[in-house]
Amino acid sequence: MRTRVAIIGAGPAGPLLSHMLHLAGIDSVVLETRDRAYVEARQRAGVVEHGAAELLQRVGLGERMEREGIVHSGIELRFSGHSHRVDFTDLCGRTVRIWAQTEIVKDLVARRQADGGQILFGAQATAIEDAKGDRPKVHFVRKGSHQVLECDYVAACDGFHGIGRRSLPRQAVRTFDRLHPFSWLGVLADVAPSSDELIYARHERGFALHSLRSEHVSRLYLQVPNDTDPAQWSDERIWDELSERMALPGWELKQGPIIDKSLTPMRSFVTEPMSHGRLYLAGDTAHIVPPTGAKGLNLALNDVSLPAQAFIALYTHGDHEPLQEYSNTALRRVWRAEHFSAWMTHLLHTFEDAFENRLQHDHLEFLASSRAASTQLAENYTGIPHL
Ligand code: RFL
Ligand code: PHB
């Protein structure tokens, strides 16, 4: 089997790259270890920033998002019984969209299949051979048989636990890693959202987030200790804790059946550089952010738009430079998102340290009173263009 670009992983990053290459007439094959139903149902992100929404529209994948997604022009911060709205439109002229990652993946997979693209589900990449040579190969196992995909380039979009990052020689990379001392217990609930906008709440019992998936489905998160077993959290306990952490006079959290429950560790992680020879890393395989800043999906989409343009420059104009510059260009946006995500995480979660908690409170008061401080949050949350 042979293709120009071998892509590992069909999260949002891999199929978007394959689609963008297809628009320029460049052939690719996507290998995905899971089946189609699994990747289309995996509950994850829900916020699409301004530039990422524009990117999806530009490549013809924005139609359902435009029709069914919800435009949000601000978020609410809750702390010490106060509420402060950060008005994105007023502060920086941009908005975000509530549009689930599951829907983006569904549209991408359907579009690749309609265009005759190859996404091989149930195909687990096991090794990347000769990334430094002219003819790299990806070894994979499908239906019990070992196969080889020969290619010009490999794009590893295989998430944090994939083989892409681990295929870079240890001496060629530097990694930056921080595991935060808490996790998120996330639930999906069959109940109309209790607020029109996202609520980020800091409470002495811990952080809580109110998000949504549609007019009928709410998505909520609670800060919990790292070793939490979601099975120990009954639906009643979850609703009680959410209500207490988000409490505001005159406001009530609507409750309903919980249809999904999961635990997400909070990690910050970056690999430098994001390429080695003919192997390019994109998305969660190269970097992880804690979800407080809603940046992971957006970084993954932005990452792949760079190699897509770089492969197009190479195959259509023989221009190697954008591909050579990929890692440096991508890392600028990655580090901005890392800083913002760590900062939001720090601002809103409860720590053991009393001094730290007192500083957070002061910072939240400052955000609520300073337009400049709120503007930097709005700029980063909606996504800084041209970074
Ligand atoms: P993915 O989505 O992990 O996809 C990688 C794919 O690669 C496959 N794979 C392999 N395939 C073949 N061979 C192998 N050896 C393979 N190893 C792995 C996997 O099966 C999988 O299908 O990575 P990608 O494409 O880089 O996308 C990254 C995003 O999924 C992630 O950053 C976001 O979901 C993060 N995130 C959020 N991001 C936002 O921008 N906004 C948000 O609101 C937001 N909320 C979240 C989040 C992530 C969360 N969790 C569960 C981690 C909320 C949560 C709770
Ligand atoms: C979500 O809707 O899943 C979501 C929203 C905002 C975040 C993280 C997750 O910061």
Side-chain angles (χ1 to χ4, degrees):
M1 227 176 150
R2 174 151 184 87
T3 189
R4 279 179 154 177
V5 184
I7 300 172
I8 311 173
L16 177 62
L17 176 57
S18 181
H19 171 69
M20 290 178 75
L21 293 176
H22 166 76
L23 294 180
I26 300 165
D27 177 55
S28 68
V29 172
V30 180
L31 305 173
E32 167 57 52
T33 191
R34 302 286 192 159
D35 63 30
R36 180 174 175 177
Y38 183 91
V39 303
E40 291 185 350
R42 191 167 34 198
Q43 281 306 322
R44 286 193 171 168
V47 178
V48 180
E49 67 184 29
H50 192 78
E54 278 181 352
L55 168 66
L56 291 173
Q57 285 154 354
R58 217 167 36 242
V59 299
L61 288 161
E63 197 226 324
R64 214 157 61 85
M65 174 181 72
E66 283 299 290
R67 211 176 48 235
E68 297 173 30
I70 309 169
V71 174
H72 275 199
S73 55
I75 55 168
E76 184 183 336
L77 300 178
R78 277 189 192 177
F79 57 99
S80 314
H82 302 297
S83 165
H84 171 64
R85 178 166 189 260
V86 181
D87 185 332
F88 299 152
T89 315
D90 174 44
L91 293 164
C92 68
R94 295 194 292 274
T95 56
V96 294
R97 272 172 226 237
I98 302 301
W99 183 237
Q101 181 167 325
T102 45
E103 303 310 304
I104 295 177
V105 172
K106 276 184 212 160
D107 283 355
L108 275 165
V109 170
R111 185 61 176 272
R112 282 315 290 128
Q113 297 209 327
D115 289 343
Q118 287 204 72
I119 302 183
L120 306 183
F121 289 102
Q124 184 181 17
T126 51
I128 299 165
E129 187 188 330
D130 211 13
K132 278 296 236 184
D134 290 346
R135 298 258 149 156
K137 295 182 184 69
V138 180
H139 294 255
F140 66 99
V141 176
R142 192 171 191 224
K143 295 182 183 149
S145 89
H146 172 243
Q147 298 180 50
V148 179
L149 176 59
E150 294 182 8
C151 55
D152 298 344
Y153 295 94
V154 181
C157 305
D158 51 351
F160 190 64
H161 301 288
I163 63 161
R165 184 182 62 255
R166 283 180 276 133
S167 303
L168 270 64
R170 221 168 256 241
Q171 67 280 10
V173 292
R174 181 160 181 212
T175 56
F176 301 82
D177 194 5
R178 177 177 294 170
L179 191 62
H180 300 276
F182 36 72
S183 299
W184 278 13
L185 177 65
V187 301
L188 198 64
D190 229 341
V191 61
S194 308
S195 161
D196 290 340
E197 294 186 336
L198 268 61
I199 304 168
Y200 288 81
R202 186 192 177 280
H203 188 274
E204 55 201 32
R205 295 180 64 85
F207 169 72
L209 170 61
H210 181 299
S211 180
L212 62 150
R213 287 292 174 268
S214 69
E215 282 163 19
H216 312 288
V217 177
S218 301
R219 177 77 169 145
L220 302 123
Y221 298 95
L222 283 170
Q223 173 186 352
V224 291
N226 273 340
D227 54 1
T228 296
D229 173 6
Q232 297 297 315
W233 281 75
S234 66
D235 293 8
E236 193 188 355
R237 183 174 173 205
I238 291 173
W239 287 119
D240 285 351
E241 197 65 36
L242 285 164
S243 301
E244 189 164 351
R245 295 190 192 180
M246 288 193 277
L248 199 66
W251 183 84
E252 199 178 338
L253 180 65
K254 290 186 198 129
Q255 305 188 6
I258 289 180
I259 50 180
D260 188 88
K261 223 184 264 184
S262 63
L263 193 76
T264 304
M266 305 284 279
R267 177 168 229 138
S268 298
F269 180 91
V270 181
T271 306
E272 284 187 354
M274 286 170 56
S275 61
H276 177 71
R278 289 177 171 241
L279 167 62
Y280 294 85
L281 308 182
D284 276 15
T285 191
H287 42 72
I288 293 287
V289 285
T292 330
K295 284 284 164 266
L297 163 67
N298 294 297
L299 274 185
L301 299 178
N302 279 306
D303 272 7
V304 297
S305 80
L306 295 173
Q309 286 157 14
F311 285 129
I312 294 165
L314 177 74
Y315 284 116
T316 56
H317 311 294
D319 179 3
H320 282 81
E321 202 187 322
L323 209 48
Q324 281 160 1
E325 277 305 304
Y326 165 63
S327 178
N328 288 336
T329 313
L331 281 165
R332 279 199 289 278
R333 182 177 287 274
V334 168
W335 277 110
R336 179 85 304 274
E338 289 289 345
H339 177 268
F340 176 65
S341 304
W343 176 81
M344 280 280 276
T345 301
H346 221 256
L347 179 71
L348 293 162
H349 290 73
T350 321
F351 290 80
E352 299 280 313
D353 183 336
F355 190 76
E356 204 55 59
N357 290 331
R358 193 61 194 79
L359 283 179
Q360 284 173 328
H361 180 77
D362 172 77
H363 203 131
L364 281 161
E365 295 270 6
F366 177 55
L367 265 171
S369 63
S370 158
R371 186 175 171 90
S374 287
T375 302
Q376 73 86 22
L377 194 162
E379 280 195 315
N380 279 282
Y381 195 95
T382 55
I384 295 179
H386 314 302
L387 200 69

